[in-house]
Amino acid sequence: MSQSLLTPMALRRASLDAVLGFAWDVEVFTASDVLDAVGLTRSTAIDVIDELVARGLLTELPNARAAGDYRKGRPARRFAFRADAGYVVGVDAGRARLTATVADLRGETRSVRHLAADASQDSPEDRRRDAVRVVDDALAAAAIARADVTALCVGVPAPVDRIGSSPPHRDGFWRRMNPSLRELFGEWAPIVRVENDASLAAVAERAVGAAVGYDDFVTLLAGERLGAGVWVDGTPLRGAHGGAAEMVAFDHVTGVEGAWGLGYRAAEVARRALAKGSLPSASALRLLDATEIDGKTVLTLAADGDPGALVVARQVGETLAVIAGVLGSLFDSRRIIVSGAVAAGAGPVIDAAADALPQELDLPAPEIVASELGADIVSVGAVRAAVEAARTGVLDLPRFVVAS
């Protein structure tokens, strides 16, 4: 739509959005910088900047003379975005572990808090209580009140549609994982998003991780269960009910037979080998009781060169190759990123998968890499999503409206 067809109010809002978006991404700037970046007239740019200062989203700094950068002529007024004008919260509401991260409007972390939860106690009431508790703990640690939160985003292990709801599931699991969390936090947070956890992991990878510069990739959360965040042509996929790339499809794929994650599979394969007595004599896994074997232990031993753990890793890697082959064939991805806590020890599994992958598809094989964002990746992505939500909606919030 041409500017000539816009109302004065719409033009004003467009100018505010443009200047605020510019300021959000730079440090100190002047009106001349805005002119170069946004293309407004000088009078409009100065007027919009002054309004954003009045709204509390920009601050005016000492001018160029006071800053020691003045040479001749009238010193330029200098401004900066107020990252502390509000705060965001990113939440990873996993089944057994919840993480809340508080950050400023640029995503700089102020506090992180974790909460262990009993996975068998996952009623809607339990989930809501734990989610509120971890958020309030993180806010308290940062000395930030609920009233100072501009946007909040929660990641859950369930499909999530465009309005933050999860569809029915045969045993009710998805709605237990997402028991109306958007409405719960919407009671006090002005902007709330609820998203699938793997989708938020993909947001984190594209912003600061292994998918920077990639438009076509899959982020695979692969600890106990598989979850995938898929980007195609620079756009995240969601689907009508939030179920794009739902991993239950692997129940029907030969060589995978289920949506179990890499950590779970490594532990199961190792336990079976221990029970059969097929582990090499030099393997430290032979010294463990079956109850002591978990995915982290197996993958750590494999990374250290343990012969039994390496056999397990190769077997799990062959399964990962099938998974990557299916995802690569469906989405023509350039990268498959193994993310989450399991990524730290996934090197031997990824190496084995890379060797097997070219046999799994006709398209060029996607590169399989390990994430470096750690176990808090979903919370990192949730913070990024909350910042983007704040950028979109902050001008409409009552606290940032100038009294007439």
Side-chain angles (χ1 to χ4, degrees):
M1 180 180 292
S2 68
Q3 285 199 354
S4 62
L5 298 179
L6 294 174
T7 66
M9 183 177 296
L11 282 170
R12 180 65 170 190
R13 176 53 185 260
S15 297
L16 286 166
D17 283 334
V19 174
L20 181 59
F22 167 76
W24 211 300
D25 293 329
V26 301
E27 295 301 326
V28 177
F29 65 94
T30 66
S32 295
D33 296 327
V34 172
L35 300 184
D36 293 338
V38 179
L40 300 176
T41 66
R42 176 170 291 276
S43 61
T44 299
I46 292 173
D47 189 37
V48 167
I49 289 170
D50 285 340
E51 179 174 334
L52 291 172
V53 170
R55 285 173 176 251
L57 291 165
L58 301 183
T59 186
E60 183 165 4
L61 303 173
N63 64 34
R65 178 185 288 121
D69 193 32
Y70 170 67
R71 295 182 180 178
K72 63 180 180 179
R74 184 177 180 181
R77 296 171 67 193
R78 301 161 66 249
F79 304 91
F81 174 68
R82 282 193 57 203
D84 62 351
Y87 297 89
V88 300
V89 183
V91 184
D92 174 8
R95 188 178 187 187
R97 182 176 182 265
L98 292 86
T99 301
T101 301
V102 176
D104 66 22
L105 291 178
R106 279 201 171 120
E108 292 297 320
T109 299
R110 295 302 181 93
S111 70
V112 180
R113 285 295 180 270
H114 301 287
L115 176 65
D118 185 345
S120 66
Q121 300 293 319
D122 63 1
S123 70
E125 295 76 19
D126 291 329
R127 293 279 293 168
R128 289 162 69 92
R129 179 201 64 224
D130 288 344
V132 169
R133 177 181 169 187
V134 74
V135 168
D136 284 343
D137 285 351
L139 288 172
I144 292 168
R146 284 182 171 185
D148 293 323
V149 173
T150 300
L152 182 149
C153 180
V154 188
V156 296
V160 181
D161 65 18
R162 289 169 179 80
I163 62 171
S165 299
S166 296
H169 185 265
R170 55 183 172 270
D171 68 357
F173 177 75
W174 289 340
R175 288 187 173 172
R176 292 202 307 278
M177 294 299 97
N178 179 19
S180 301
L181 293 178
R182 185 171 181 270
E183 291 77 8
L184 174 68
F185 288 111
E187 293 175 1
W188 56 267
I191 301 173
V192 179
R193 287 178 61 177
V194 179
E195 300 286 353
N196 170 260
D197 54 2
S199 295
L200 291 176
V203 169
E205 294 291 359
R206 195 165 193 262
V208 294
V212 172
Y214 286 77
D215 285 341
D216 301 280
F217 68 95
V218 176
T219 295
L220 194 65
L221 284 180
E224 287 297 300
R225 299 283 294 179
L226 293 176
V230 179
W231 284 57
V232 176
D233 297 334
T235 301
L237 300 188
R238 183 190 297 274
H241 308 97
E246 173 56 35
M247 296 291 99
V248 71
F250 283 109
D251 289 350
H252 311 288
V253 176
T254 302
V256 183
E257 286 93 16
W260 300 108
L262 303 184
Y264 177 90
R265 291 175 189 275
E268 285 295 297
V269 171
R271 291 187 195 110
R272 288 198 298 268
L274 179 64
K276 292 179 181 178
S278 61
L279 289 168
S281 58
S283 176
L285 290 172
R286 291 171 59 96
L287 305 177
L288 300 177
D289 185 82
T291 59
E292 298 176 297
I293 295 177
D294 57 23
K296 181 178 179 180
T297 298
V298 176
L299 295 179
T300 298
L301 287 172
D304 290 339
D306 181 274
L310 283 172
V311 171
V312 172
R314 281 193 290 272
Q315 185 172 336
V316 176
E318 291 170 359
T319 302
L320 175 59
V322 177
I323 294 168
V326 170
L327 294 173
S329 295
L330 286 174
F331 304 115
D332 192 14
S333 306
R334 290 178 59 199
R335 271 195 166 183
I336 307 290
I337 306 166
V338 177
S339 302
V342 72
V349 174
I350 291 173
D351 290 343
D355 290 340
L357 185 57
Q359 306 170 31
E360 298 295 336
L361 70 166
D362 296 324
L363 289 168
E367 179 186 17
I368 306 176
V369 300
S371 170
E372 297 183 355
L373 298 184
D376 288 346
I377 183 172
V378 174
S379 182
V380 171
V383 166
R384 292 282 168 175
V387 169
E388 287 307 308
R391 289 178 71 126
T392 300
V394 69
L395 289 173
D396 297 316
L397 300 184
R399 64 179 293 189
F400 297 115
V401 172
V402 179
S404 56

